[in-house]
Amino acid sequence: MISNQDSQLVYSTDQGRITQEETKTQPPQGDGWVRIHLDRKGRKGKGMMVVKGLGLEDKKLKKLAATLKKKMGVGGAVKEFDIEIQGDKRDQLKQLLEQQGFKVKLAGG
């Protein structure tokens, strides 16, 4: 048998296919405030709003992001447990999140 320290066991005749256990990451729990940051780094000067501290699960987070993007008429994405929305319409975003029942602060930028 060839020994290679960089290789990983994929199949074993004793147990069958070896699979990694999927670990669900829990959303980070904040202090109860949702913060809207304005980020321009690495985006060629274009602004992007980053919503942090929502504390929602994956499906609820994606659904909320889709609702916000649709109401604001902009693009965006969900990365880790943050929502990124294109543009600099923080006041409008704050109003939409407050309507959803979140306590919101404008931070940074």
Side-chain angles (χ1 to χ4, degrees), residues 65-80:
T67 303
L68 293 173
K69 291 187 299 184
K70 192 176 210 179
K71 286 186 178 180
M72 294 180 71
V74 296
V78 175
K79 293 193 177 174
E80 295 178 10

Side-chain angles (χ1 to χ4, degrees), residues 9-81:
L9 181 65
V10 177
Y11 187 83
S12 172
T13 56
D14 295 335
Q15 301 172 1
R17 186 163 297 276
I18 307 296
T19 57
Q20 300 289 334
E21 292 184 24
E22 293 182 23
T23 57
K24 275 198 161 186
T25 55
Q26 295 294 326
Q29 296 300 322
D31 58 354
W33 287 93
V34 175
R35 289 177 172 80
I36 302 173
H37 297 268
L38 181 64
D39 190 15
R40 288 192 174 100
K41 292 183 181 176
R43 295 182 171 88
K44 299 181 183 177
K46 309 260 184 191
M48 178 166 275
M49 298 173 285
V50 181
V51 182
K52 298 182 178 189
L54 289 166
L56 298 176
E57 296 176 4
D58 242 4
K59 290 182 182 180
K60 291 180 182 179
L61 194 66
K62 288 179 182 178
K63 187 175 180 180
L64 177 63
T67 303
L68 293 173
K69 291 187 299 184
K70 192 176 210 179
K71 286 186 178 180
M72 294 180 71
V74 296
V78 175
K79 293 193 177 174
E80 295 178 10
F81 291 102

